[in-house]
């Protein structure tokens, strides 16, 4: 159950942020402070919790404001990604309070995937924990580039500047290995409310912004409407009743816009056609369709494309490419390890392909290991994946919808990740032909078509 506040203006900007960090590093206290110091709590809530603590002989803590989940109250840990609302003078925020325990990484991943910015909390007394690194890697995996690192509990160390600087130096060095550059480090005491919404006189050596000021400086992601056009084909419908010969290519536009008459290319088949009509169910046809619209298209030319292809504009240099090998960041949540010499199913949008783990370039997991032989449950890693057939992909940072995937082991969604790079080495999958169930027919078709187009270009004009 989430704590909610009254929304004063329905048209104010909103931003989803995730607050994460190792258990007991002070996430809930920080969130409680933000709620209280911005007057975002329901009227009387703060006093009610204080009265309850007094009645039960407990010392009041701001973290108690978040103790709404029954299991959380019993166990003293956050088990779900609770959604909490608060507001500043600039905008409204939806805080995703992500679990700190390693057992709840799946919940953390689910919650953080909706966020555009992150606050990562580190306990000044304990220092950088293994989970602090793991959460940093998860933020990197999810492509969250706006990261604020809060070094908490400095009141317990007499607001020692050197402790803050040492933690900052260590964590910056770690994040550099992930190519994550935090926008700011802030020394705070969440319990005492120092540097949360107002500057702390106890830390005159810190002249930067408060936590709230930095959050207000973050930016929401730009709308995909002004970006390149792309639409994964969800399905192709063919009607035959009453002499209706339409073949409708249906899907949801993930970015950009398109109009009747424009030339489109389907990837990975590279087949081209022109938009004839934009169909609407039980309504007149449209002449233009935009981002987020579920649309159906008929084409001037008779071509055959399949579910899973991506439609782009022929005249546009969209960063959507055909790939057979990709470099990706992966988190593995399956019971069985993600290992070599085994095939899995990769789902990216409406596309499906067999996939194989080719290489683990780096990983973060429990315990020390001499070599990267597999990814175990809750491990994160930068890997190279080989696909059984070409697939249209985009780097996550160019288009999150076309750059985020799920890996299925048997019938279980066992892992997920984002595409970093298209390595595009077409012979690799065929050279790894020892594993079972691989259908390379689509790849052969694509290679044949590419050769024909290369040596007989006049036939494809």
């Amino acid at each position: 159950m989430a704590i909610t506040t009254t929304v004063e203006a329905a048209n104010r900007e909103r931003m989803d942020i995730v607050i994460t960090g190792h258990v007991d590093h002070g996430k809930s206290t920080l969130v409680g402070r933000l709620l209280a110091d911005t007057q975002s709590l329901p009227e009387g809530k703060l006093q009610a919790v204080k009265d309850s603590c007094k009645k039960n002989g407990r010392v009041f803590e701001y973290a108690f404001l978040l103790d709404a989940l029954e299991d959380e109250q019993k166990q003293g840990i956050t088990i779900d990604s609770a959604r909490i609302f608060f507001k500043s003078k600039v905008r409204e925020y939806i805080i995703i309070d992500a679990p700190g325990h390693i057992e709840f990484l799946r919940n953390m991943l689910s919650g953080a995937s909706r966020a555009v910015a992150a606050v990562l909390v580190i306990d000044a007394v304990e220092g950088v924990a293994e989970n602090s690194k793991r959460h940093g890697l998860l933020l990197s995996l999810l492509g969250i580039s706006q990261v604020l690192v809060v070094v908490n509990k400095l009141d317990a160390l007499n607001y020692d500047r050197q402790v803050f600087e040492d933690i900052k130096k260590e964590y910056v060095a770690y994040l550099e290995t992930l190519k994550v550059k935090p926008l700011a480090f802030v020394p705070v005491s969440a319990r005492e409310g120092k540097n949360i919404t107002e500057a702390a006189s106890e830390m005159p050596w810190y002249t930067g912004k408060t936590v709230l000021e930095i959050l207000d400086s973050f930016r929401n992601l730009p709308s995909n409407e002004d970006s390149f056009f792309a639409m994964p084909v969800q399905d192709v419908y063919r009607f035959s009743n009453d002499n209706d010969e339409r073949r409708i290519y249906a899907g949801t536009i993930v970015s950009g816009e398109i109009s009747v008459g424009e030339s489109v290319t389907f990837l990975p088949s590279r087949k081209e056609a022109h938009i004839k009509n934009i169909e609407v169910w039980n309504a007149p046809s449209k002449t233009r369709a935009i981002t987020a619209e579920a649309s159906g298209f008929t084409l001037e030319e008779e071509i055959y494309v399949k579910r899973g292809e991506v439609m782009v504009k022929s005249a546009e240099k969209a960063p959507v490419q055909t790939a057979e090998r990709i470099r990706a960041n992966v988190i593995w949540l399956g019971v069985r390890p993600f290992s070599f010499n085994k095939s899995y199913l990769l789902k990216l949008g409406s596309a499906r392909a067999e996939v194989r783990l080719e290489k683990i370039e780096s990983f973060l997991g429990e315990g020390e290991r001499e070599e990267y032989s597999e990814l175990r449950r809750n491990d994160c890693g930068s890997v190279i994946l080989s696909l059984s057939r070409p697939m249209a992909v985009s780097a996550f940072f160019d288009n999150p919808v076309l750059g985020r995937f799920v890996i299925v082991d048997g019938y279980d969604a066992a892992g997920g990740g984002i595409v970093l790079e298209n390595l595009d080495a077409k012979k690799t999958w065929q050279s790894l032909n020892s594993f079972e169930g691989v259908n390379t027919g689509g790849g052969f078709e694509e290679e044949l078509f590419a050769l024909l187009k290369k040596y007989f270009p006049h036939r494809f004009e």
Side-chain angles (χ1 to χ4, degrees):
M1 183 174 67
I3 297 174
T4 61
T5 61
T6 301
V7 178
E8 294 179 351
N11 59 352
R12 294 186 71 192
E13 182 188 28
R14 279 192 171 184
M15 175 181 282
D16 285 11
I17 60 174
V18 60
I19 295 187
T20 187
H22 188 46
V23 65
D24 292 335
H25 277 206
K27 300 191 312 298
S28 297
T29 302
L30 175 62
V31 174
R33 263 293 179 183
L34 282 169
L35 291 171
D37 292 358
T38 58
Q39 287 78 51
S40 297
L41 289 165
E43 186 175 354
K45 180 69 175 179
L46 178 61
Q47 191 58 49
V49 175
K50 286 183 175 179
D51 290 345
S52 176
C53 288
K54 185 177 181 180
K55 181 180 178 181
N56 293 290
R58 302 175 69 188
V59 177
F60 169 76
E61 294 182 17
Y62 283 89
F64 294 162
L65 294 169
L66 310 184
D67 285 345
L69 292 169
E70 183 179 356
D71 284 338
E72 182 175 344
Q73 290 170 329
K74 289 178 180 177
Q75 300 177 28
I77 55 175
T78 305
I79 63 170
D80 200 354
S81 296
R83 301 176 80 232
I84 304 153
F85 298 83
F86 85 101
K87 60 183 182 298
S88 71
K89 294 179 180 177
V90 174
R91 63 165 71 95
E92 294 167 357
Y93 291 93
I94 300 173
I95 300 178
I96 302 159
D97 183 20
H101 267 230
I102 187 171
E103 290 82 1
F104 305 125
L105 278 178
R106 188 191 298 264
N107 303 47
M108 188 273 182
L109 189 67
S110 172
S113 64
R114 298 190 296 269
V116 299
V119 178
L120 199 151
V121 182
I122 296 176
D123 184 336
V125 177
E126 185 175 341
V128 178
E130 187 67 20
N131 244 9
S132 303
K133 295 182 177 179
R134 191 183 303 274
H135 287 153
L137 179 55
L138 285 173
L139 297 180
S140 170
L141 291 173
L142 292 166
I144 298 176
S145 59
Q146 299 182 106
V147 179
L148 162 62
V149 181
V150 169
V151 180
N152 190 25
K153 302 185 185 181
L154 277 166
D155 56 301
L157 299 168
N158 199 28
Y159 301 104
D160 190 325
R161 179 177 185 173
Q162 194 57 51
V163 172
F164 169 74
E165 296 292 349
D166 289 345
I167 290 175
K168 179 180 177 181
K169 182 178 180 181
E170 178 184 355
Y171 204 57
V172 164
Y174 171 71
L175 292 180
E176 282 180 349
T177 66
L178 307 175
K179 298 182 179 180
V180 173
K181 187 176 182 180
L183 297 186
F185 277 74
V186 182
V188 310
S189 167
R191 188 181 68 177
E192 302 300 326
K194 305 300 179 183
N195 283 335
I196 306 299
T197 59
E198 295 183 358
S201 59
E202 292 83 354
M203 291 177 271
W205 44 267
Y206 176 73
T207 57
K209 295 179 179 179
T210 65
V211 170
L212 187 61
E213 288 172 335
I214 292 170
L215 289 178
D216 283 345
S217 72
F218 286 166
R219 295 182 179 179
N220 265 314
L221 295 176
S223 168
N224 282 339
E225 191 170 344
D226 298 329
S227 183
F228 61 89
F229 172 81
M231 189 198 80
V233 177
Q234 186 69 31
D235 218 330
V236 181
Y237 300 99
R238 182 70 184 270
F239 300 92
S240 58
N241 294 337
D242 301 326
N243 295 319
D244 185 351
E245 296 295 330
R246 289 178 300 166
R247 187 190 297 269
I248 297 179
Y249 305 82
T252 298
I253 299 171
V254 298
S255 64
E257 53 83 23
I258 196 160
S259 301
V260 169
E262 292 197 75
S263 175
V264 294
T265 300
F266 291 84
L267 298 175
S269 69
R270 304 180 193 279
K271 294 176 181 175
E272 297 186 13
H274 291 81
I275 300 293
K276 181 178 182 181
N277 274 318
I278 301 175
E279 306 287 338
V280 180
W281 182 258
N282 278 340
S285 298
K286 298 168 55 175
T287 58
R288 178 173 174 266
I290 62 173
T291 300
E293 287 187 343
S295 304
F297 299 89
T298 57
L299 305 175
E300 293 283 1
E301 296 81 2
E302 283 287 331
I303 61 172
Y304 175 71
V305 297
K306 297 176 291 186
R307 166 187 166 89
E309 298 219 33
V310 176
M311 186 169 77
V312 298
K313 287 184 181 179
S314 303
E316 203 168 52
K317 293 183 178 179
V320 183
Q321 299 176 324
T322 298
E324 288 181 276
R325 292 176 72 231
I326 57 174
R327 176 174 286 111
N329 281 342
V330 169
I331 176 169
W332 193 252
L333 301 168
V335 176
R336 296 181 294 273
F338 188 29
S339 56
F340 302 103
N341 302 317
K342 182 179 178 182
S343 61
Y344 301 86
L345 180 66
L346 184 142
K347 295 183 177 180
L348 194 157
S350 54
R352 306 285 187 272
E354 299 270 355
V355 67
R356 188 175 192 185
L357 176 61
E358 181 181 321
K359 183 179 181 182
I360 301 174
E361 295 188 320
S362 63
F363 89 108
L364 181 66
E366 282 189 289
E368 297 294 330
R369 298 178 209 169
E370 293 183 355
E371 58 183 11
Y372 305 153
S373 59
E374 60 188 12
L375 290 183
R376 301 172 188 170
R377 192 172 194 180
N378 295 323
D379 282 353
C380 312
S382 179
V383 303
I384 294 177
L385 302 175
S386 293
L387 304 173
S388 62
R389 58 183 178 82
M391 181 180 284
V393 303
S394 168
F396 174 83
F397 302 103
D398 289 324
N399 188 299
V401 176
L402 298 174
R404 181 182 286 150
F405 59 82
V406 171
I407 299 174
V408 179
D409 181 13
Y411 296 99
D412 298 324
I418 62 172
V419 177
L420 300 178
E421 184 181 5
N422 171 15
L423 297 176
D424 197 31
K426 293 189 175 182
K427 295 298 183 183
T428 300
W429 179 263
Q430 285 84 346
S431 69
L432 298 170
N433 59 1
S434 59
F435 52 100
E436 301 175 352
V438 177
N439 177 8
T440 58
F444 174 76
E445 182 186 50
E446 289 303 313
E447 288 194 332
L448 176 61
F449 184 81
L451 285 171
L452 290 171
K453 193 170 184 179
K454 179 179 179 180
Y455 293 105
F456 304 95
H458 58 286
R459 300 297 300 271
F460 297 90
E461 293 177 351

